[in-house]
Amino acid sequence: MKLSDNKATLSFSDGSPSIEMPVYSGSVGPDVVDIRKLYGQTGMFTYDPGFLSTAACQSTITYIDGDKGELLYRGYPIEQLATKCDYMDTCYLLLNGELPNAQQKKDFDYLVTSHTMVNEQMQYFLRGFRRDAHPMAVLTGLVGGMSAFYHDSTDITNPEHRHIAAIRLIAKMPTLVAMAYKYKIGQPYIYPKNSLNYAGNFLHMMFATPCEEYKVNPVLERALDRIFILHADHEQNASTSTVRLCGSSGTNPFAAIAAGVACLWGPAHGGANEACLNMLEDIQRMGGLAKVGEFMEQVKDKNSGVRLMGFGHRVYKNYDPRAKLMQETCKEVLQEMGLENDPLFKLAMALEKIALEDDYFVSRKLYPNVDFYSGIVQRAIGIPVNLFTGIFALARTSGWIAQLNEMMGDPEYKIGRPRQLFTGPVARTVKAIADR
Ligand code: ACO
């Protein structure tokens, strides 16, 4: 970051001396006011619940321009990565800062492929869960559990350990997600098949059985790969910030990523794709297209507590560029599967049309986000709704680990420790129980 000529001055109406704070510029995007010395100089904290105006770190990985609807990984527009690269290119890019050349890609593919199997003992760990457990509960446990299986890559301060942990996490997440699915439906686990590519291997582990040959459909493989690319990173979102905060204590990389998985589960974050599909199914049950208007009235009624899931974003105040790409993929997949007349897709299109024209959404700059379409694509592929967020976690692992590594390599890295404005009772005396 570069020190700007601009400076910020904070003055107080009670006559306390004003203070000057440095301003830093990044390569693009808003400047930041450096408030690190504020407490030392004034005895005051800043107050920003939800981090609406707070940059918690400097980063070189992902840039979002929410007003333009632009998303760049290491400077490359998401549209180019989604059409010219695959998920392995994207992982390499996020981790290393550059796209791989042909040899580097071959080596990286080989490296990831060599780590796709999980320790056999993890099967027994998985068997401890109830079969009706939510896959995100299982995944949080399994990812955290990796720290109990891979002791040679748990020192977060050691770059070599972090590198091995990164490869293991990226390589094994598809295996774990597929194992969680197979366990739930009572089918045997399918071992990874390293002749397949990353997305193809995942489809194979999900849908093959030992009794018959499974042929990967290239359209579905490409669609899944695109889902992975689009979800790989999204700068300092809730789960990524959780991974950074968790990792900042010096815990091991598997534990930090498990914290990210847990955070992603929430319906305001990664759980939105599941919530969105459930919403579409609910409207369908209520009467489908005929009920869209009624549903939208509920969404606009603040007292109803109903939100249009898959719409709105903290950062995008324009069309989410990932939603556009996902809409394209959605059409391809539905066509491939002969589901062009899929009622849920039609419902989604009708909701989108109303929302894009309705003043409630227009005035609040609420546009479809990536989850609006990704659920329909995954459902068409045959992925059960409650596994959607697990797929998101699988894809986001590369971003989480790249962000974690960046934080650990930052000379300004410190344990994350927010402050508070205390509004509770001041010191008081405990009375004897008879007097309370
Ligand atoms: N449906 C209806 N109204 C909405 C929606 C929605 N989906 N999203 C925001 N609003 C309204 C709010 O009621 C608020 O209205 P007001 O100004 O009259 O009070 C205004 O738009 C701003 O909303 P906030 O909640 O303040 O916006 P915030 O940035 O905090 O929330 C969020 C962003 C959580 C994504 C929100 O838009 C939402 O809940 N969307 C639905 C869930 C979703 O799709 N999440 C996925 C996020 S993307 C991802 O994780 C991949």
Side-chain angles (χ1 to χ4, degrees):
M1 60 186 184
K2 204 169 99 262
L3 188 62
S4 160
D5 294 336
N6 194 11
K7 280 190 174 57
T9 307
L10 184 64
S11 56
F12 303 91
S13 57
D14 68 356
S16 312
S18 56
I19 62 156
E20 220 169 58
M21 291 168 295
V23 172
Y24 291 99
S25 306
S27 43
V28 61
D31 290 351
V32 297
V33 179
D34 181 352
I35 56 161
R36 280 175 291 183
K37 296 209 172 112
L38 182 73
Y39 179 57
Q41 289 178 347
T42 66
M44 283 187 201
F45 300 138
T46 55
Y47 181 62
D48 186 16
F51 298 96
L52 296 179
S53 300
T54 298
C57 63
Q58 47 174 315
S59 180
T60 60
I61 301 175
T62 293
Y63 176 71
I64 305 172
D65 185 323
D67 293 325
K68 282 204 256 169
E70 182 180 64
L71 169 62
L72 311 173
Y73 293 166
R74 303 280 192 187
Y76 293 109
I78 193 69
E79 292 81 0
Q80 291 182 29
L81 293 169
T83 49
K84 297 183 178 172
C85 299
D86 66 13
Y87 182 64
M88 284 294 96
D89 289 317
T90 308
C91 290
Y92 187 97
L93 175 68
L94 291 172
L95 291 175
N96 301 298
E98 295 298 336
L99 281 167
N101 62 28
Q103 187 59 47
Q104 287 165 333
K105 182 172 169 58
K106 204 168 152 224
D107 293 346
F108 187 71
D109 282 355
Y110 178 74
L111 184 64
V112 171
T113 304
S114 321
H115 284 274
T116 49
M117 274 205 305
V118 297
N119 187 302
E120 197 68 1
Q121 191 70 12
M122 284 199 89
Q123 281 190 27
Y124 302 103
F125 179 42
L126 175 55
R127 281 183 194 160
F129 286 96
R130 285 170 55 138
R131 286 199 194 255
D132 61 355
H134 192 285
M136 286 302 279
V138 175
L139 212 54
T140 309
L142 288 180
V143 175
M146 283 176 78
S147 42
F149 287 94
Y150 302 103
H151 295 145
D152 56 347
S153 48
T154 50
D155 179 1
I156 203 167
T157 59
N158 181 330
E160 182 60 19
H161 278 221
R162 290 204 302 271
H163 174 66
I164 305 169
I167 300 301
R168 283 192 168 134
L169 279 157
I170 291 169
K172 295 183 201 302
M173 276 299 265
T175 315
L176 294 177
V177 174
M179 279 170 71
Y181 171 62
K182 289 293 198 190
Y183 179 69
K184 193 172 181 63
I185 60 168
Q187 283 188 5
Y189 307 124
I190 301 294
Y191 286 105
K193 193 168 180 180
N194 290 348
S195 56
L196 296 171
N197 70 21
Y198 193 84
N201 185 32
F202 179 64
L203 284 171
H204 174 258
M205 290 188 290
M206 284 284 294
F207 300 118
T209 62
C211 13
E212 52 190 61
E213 194 59 27
Y214 176 80
K215 205 165 167 321
V216 176
N217 177 322
V219 175
L220 304 191
E221 181 183 77
R222 182 65 203 150
L224 199 58
D225 192 73
R226 181 172 279 191
I227 290 180
F228 294 164
I229 295 173
L230 299 185
H231 288 85
D233 196 49
H234 215 225
E235 52 117 311
Q236 309 312 319
N237 56 83
S239 58
T240 302
S241 300
T242 301
V243 169
R244 280 185 178 256
L245 190 59
C246 185
S248 79
S249 72
T251 189
N252 72 76
F254 304 109
I257 301 299
V261 176
C263 177
L264 189 74
W265 191 359
H269 191 11
N273 51 18
E274 180 176 341
C276 180
L277 222 278
N278 288 336
M279 171 191 80
L280 294 175
E281 283 174 345
D282 283 349
I283 305 173
Q284 187 61 21
R285 268 194 296 274
M286 279 159 51
L289 284 171
K291 293 286 178 182
V292 163
E294 198 182 302
F295 177 76
M296 284 307 233
E297 287 312 311
Q298 278 183 31
V299 167
K300 291 191 279 177
D301 173 6
K302 283 287 160 61
N303 299 321
S304 73
V306 178
R307 283 204 165 192
L308 182 56
M309 300 313 286
F311 255 73
H313 199 276
R314 171 63 58 81
V315 182
Y316 292 118
K317 300 302 168 201
N318 200 330
Y319 216 99
D320 177 344
R322 303 167 302 170
K324 278 191 192 143
L325 292 156
M326 212 62 248
Q327 194 192 37
E328 260 175 44
T329 302
C330 191
K331 285 185 182 148
E332 277 167 29
V333 169
L334 292 178
Q335 195 176 16
E336 175 67 15
M337 304 307 282
L339 294 169
E340 294 99 321
N341 292 320
D342 179 62
L344 292 197
F345 183 61
K346 288 199 162 156
L347 213 49
M349 296 297 281
L351 288 170
E352 185 191 27
K353 188 166 181 305
I354 297 178
L356 292 177
E357 288 166 1
D358 191 303
D359 186 58
Y360 175 94
F361 296 91
V362 175
S363 62
R364 290 173 177 78
K365 299 186 176 167
L366 299 170
Y367 293 87
N369 59 52
V370 65
D371 293 323
F372 196 65
Y373 290 103
S374 72
I376 299 173
V377 175
Q378 292 185 59
R379 180 172 161 272
I381 291 176
I383 296 168
V385 176
N386 64 11
L387 206 66
F388 290 178
T389 317
I391 309 279
F392 189 165
L394 181 174
R396 183 55 60 85
T397 297
S398 54
W400 285 332
I401 199 96
Q403 299 269 354
L404 186 64
N405 285 352
E406 181 178 68
M407 179 188 76
M408 295 307 296
D410 185 342
E412 295 192 349
Y413 148 71
K414 275 188 188 323
I415 185 170
R417 189 6 177 133
R419 308 304 288 255
Q420 66 173 10
L421 175 66
F422 183 69
T423 55
V426 292
R428 47 187 174 159
T429 307
V430 175
K431 290 184 184 156
I433 193 154
D435 302 332
R436 282 181 226 159

